[in-house]
Short mmCIF file of all heavy atoms in Angstrom, two decimals:
data_model
loop_
_atom_site.label_atom_id
_atom_site.label_comp_id
_atom_site.label_asym_id
_atom_site.label_seq_id
_atom_site.Cartn_x
_atom_site.Cartn_y
_atom_site.Cartn_z
N GLY C 208 137.11 93.22 19.47
CA GLY C 208 136.20 94.29 19.78
C GLY C 208 135.89 95.14 18.56
O GLY C 208 136.27 94.81 17.42
N ASN C 209 135.24 96.25 18.81
CA ASN C 209 134.73 97.10 17.77
C ASN C 209 135.73 98.21 17.50
O ASN C 209 135.98 99.07 18.34
CB ASN C 209 133.40 97.69 18.20
CG ASN C 209 132.69 98.38 17.06
OD1 ASN C 209 133.25 98.55 15.99
ND2 ASN C 209 131.44 98.74 17.32
N LEU C 210 136.29 98.24 16.28
CA LEU C 210 137.32 99.26 15.96
C LEU C 210 136.71 100.65 15.73
O LEU C 210 137.44 101.62 15.77
CB LEU C 210 138.10 98.82 14.72
CG LEU C 210 139.06 97.62 14.86
CD1 LEU C 210 139.56 97.19 13.52
CD2 LEU C 210 140.21 98.01 15.76
N SER C 211 135.43 100.68 15.47
CA SER C 211 134.86 102.01 15.22
C SER C 211 134.54 102.77 16.52
O SER C 211 134.20 103.92 16.51
CB SER C 211 133.61 101.93 14.33
OG SER C 211 132.63 101.18 14.98
N ASP C 212 134.60 102.05 17.62
CA ASP C 212 134.44 102.72 18.92
C ASP C 212 135.82 103.08 19.44
O ASP C 212 136.62 102.21 19.81
CB ASP C 212 133.72 101.75 19.88
CG ASP C 212 133.68 102.27 21.31
OD1 ASP C 212 134.08 103.40 21.52
OD2 ASP C 212 133.26 101.51 22.17
N PRO C 213 136.16 104.38 19.48
CA PRO C 213 137.53 104.77 19.85
C PRO C 213 137.88 104.38 21.29
O PRO C 213 139.05 104.37 21.66
CB PRO C 213 137.53 106.29 19.67
CG PRO C 213 136.09 106.69 19.66
CD PRO C 213 135.32 105.53 19.17
N GLU C 214 136.89 104.10 22.11
CA GLU C 214 137.17 103.75 23.49
C GLU C 214 137.26 102.27 23.75
O GLU C 214 137.47 101.82 24.90
CB GLU C 214 136.07 104.36 24.40
CG GLU C 214 136.13 105.89 24.49
CD GLU C 214 137.51 106.36 24.86
OE1 GLU C 214 138.04 105.90 25.91
OE2 GLU C 214 138.05 107.19 24.12
N SER C 215 137.04 101.44 22.72
CA SER C 215 137.10 99.99 22.97
C SER C 215 138.53 99.55 23.20
O SER C 215 139.47 100.24 22.84
CB SER C 215 136.51 99.24 21.75
OG SER C 215 137.36 99.39 20.66
N ARG C 216 138.66 98.39 23.84
CA ARG C 216 139.99 97.89 24.13
C ARG C 216 140.85 97.72 22.90
O ARG C 216 142.03 98.09 22.87
CB ARG C 216 139.90 96.54 24.90
CG ARG C 216 139.36 96.65 26.31
CD ARG C 216 139.06 95.27 26.84
NE ARG C 216 138.17 94.56 25.92
CZ ARG C 216 138.02 93.26 25.90
NH1 ARG C 216 138.70 92.50 26.71
NH2 ARG C 216 137.19 92.68 25.05
N VAL C 217 140.22 97.20 21.83
CA VAL C 217 141.03 97.00 20.60
C VAL C 217 141.49 98.32 20.02
O VAL C 217 142.63 98.43 19.60
CB VAL C 217 140.29 96.19 19.54
CG1 VAL C 217 140.39 94.73 19.80
CG2 VAL C 217 138.84 96.61 19.38
N SER C 218 140.62 99.32 20.02
CA SER C 218 141.00 100.60 19.45
C SER C 218 142.20 101.17 20.22
O SER C 218 143.10 101.75 19.62
CB SER C 218 139.84 101.60 19.50
OG SER C 218 138.82 101.14 18.70
N LYS C 219 142.19 101.01 21.53
CA LYS C 219 143.28 101.55 22.32
C LYS C 219 144.57 100.76 21.98
O LYS C 219 145.65 101.36 21.92
CB LYS C 219 142.98 101.40 23.80
CG LYS C 219 141.98 102.46 24.29
CD LYS C 219 141.65 102.23 25.74
CE LYS C 219 140.53 103.15 26.17
NZ LYS C 219 139.86 102.67 27.39
N MET C 220 144.41 99.48 21.84
CA MET C 220 145.60 98.64 21.60
C MET C 220 146.18 98.91 20.19
O MET C 220 147.40 98.84 19.96
CB MET C 220 145.32 97.17 21.81
CG MET C 220 145.10 96.82 23.25
SD MET C 220 144.40 95.20 23.40
CE MET C 220 145.86 94.22 23.65
N VAL C 221 145.29 99.19 19.24
CA VAL C 221 145.75 99.42 17.89
C VAL C 221 146.65 100.65 17.83
O VAL C 221 147.53 100.76 17.02
CB VAL C 221 144.52 99.57 16.95
CG1 VAL C 221 144.90 100.23 15.64
CG2 VAL C 221 143.91 98.23 16.68
N ARG C 222 146.43 101.60 18.76
CA ARG C 222 147.21 102.82 18.79
C ARG C 222 148.58 102.62 19.47
O ARG C 222 149.38 103.53 19.55
CB ARG C 222 146.43 103.92 19.50
CG ARG C 222 145.16 104.33 18.78
CD ARG C 222 144.59 105.61 19.32
NE ARG C 222 143.91 105.47 20.59
CZ ARG C 222 142.63 105.25 20.77
NH1 ARG C 222 141.85 105.13 19.72
NH2 ARG C 222 142.10 105.15 21.97
N SER C 223 148.83 101.39 19.94
CA SER C 223 150.10 101.12 20.61
C SER C 223 151.28 101.26 19.65
O SER C 223 151.13 101.04 18.44
CB SER C 223 150.09 99.67 21.16
OG SER C 223 151.37 99.19 21.25
N ASP C 224 152.47 101.63 20.15
CA ASP C 224 153.60 101.78 19.26
C ASP C 224 154.17 100.42 18.88
O ASP C 224 155.07 100.34 18.07
CB ASP C 224 154.70 102.67 19.91
CG ASP C 224 155.12 102.12 21.28
OD1 ASP C 224 154.48 101.14 21.75
OD2 ASP C 224 156.05 102.69 21.86
N ARG C 225 153.65 99.36 19.47
CA ARG C 225 154.09 98.02 19.08
C ARG C 225 153.24 97.46 17.91
O ARG C 225 153.49 96.37 17.44
CB ARG C 225 154.03 97.09 20.26
CG ARG C 225 155.00 97.38 21.35
CD ARG C 225 155.09 96.20 22.30
NE ARG C 225 153.91 96.02 23.11
CZ ARG C 225 153.37 94.87 23.42
NH1 ARG C 225 153.88 93.74 22.93
NH2 ARG C 225 152.29 94.76 24.20
N ALA C 226 152.19 98.19 17.54
CA ALA C 226 151.23 97.66 16.62
C ALA C 226 151.75 97.59 15.17
O ALA C 226 152.46 98.51 14.72
CB ALA C 226 149.94 98.45 16.66
N TYR C 227 151.48 96.50 14.51
CA TYR C 227 151.74 96.42 13.10
C TYR C 227 150.70 95.49 12.45
O TYR C 227 150.06 94.72 13.16
CB TYR C 227 153.18 95.97 12.79
CG TYR C 227 153.37 94.46 12.92
CD1 TYR C 227 153.33 93.64 11.81
CD2 TYR C 227 153.65 93.90 14.18
CE1 TYR C 227 153.54 92.28 11.90
CE2 TYR C 227 153.84 92.53 14.28
CZ TYR C 227 153.78 91.72 13.16
OH TYR C 227 153.98 90.39 13.27
N LYS C 228 150.55 95.68 11.14
CA LYS C 228 149.68 94.78 10.45
C LYS C 228 150.45 93.94 9.45
O LYS C 228 151.39 94.43 8.84
CB LYS C 228 148.57 95.58 9.74
CG LYS C 228 147.60 96.17 10.76
CD LYS C 228 146.59 97.08 10.13
CE LYS C 228 145.66 97.56 11.22
NZ LYS C 228 144.80 98.65 10.76
N GLU C 229 150.01 92.74 9.28
CA GLU C 229 150.75 91.82 8.42
C GLU C 229 150.54 92.18 6.95
O GLU C 229 149.43 92.39 6.52
CB GLU C 229 150.28 90.37 8.73
CG GLU C 229 151.05 89.30 8.02
CD GLU C 229 152.45 89.10 8.56
OE1 GLU C 229 152.77 89.70 9.58
OE2 GLU C 229 153.21 88.39 7.92
N LEU C 230 151.64 92.26 6.21
CA LEU C 230 151.62 92.58 4.76
C LEU C 230 150.78 93.81 4.48
O LEU C 230 149.99 93.85 3.50
CB LEU C 230 151.09 91.36 3.96
CG LEU C 230 151.90 90.08 4.08
CD1 LEU C 230 151.24 88.99 3.27
CD2 LEU C 230 153.33 90.31 3.57
N GLU C 231 150.93 94.81 5.32
CA GLU C 231 150.14 96.00 5.19
C GLU C 231 150.40 96.72 3.88
O GLU C 231 149.55 97.35 3.28
CB GLU C 231 150.45 96.93 6.36
CG GLU C 231 149.41 97.94 6.66
CD GLU C 231 149.73 98.73 7.90
OE1 GLU C 231 150.85 98.57 8.44
OE2 GLU C 231 148.87 99.46 8.35
#
Side-chain angles (χ1 to χ4, degrees):
Chain C
N209 191 352
L210 289 170
S211 63
D212 172 7
E214 290 307 306
S215 68
R216 290 169 305 160
V217 278
S218 295
K219 286 178 187 159
M220 289 167 94
V221 162
R222 296 194 285 267
S223 153
D224 56 355
R225 292 195 288 139
Y227 78 95
K228 287 174 180 170
E229 185 71 9
L230 299 178
E231 201 174 9

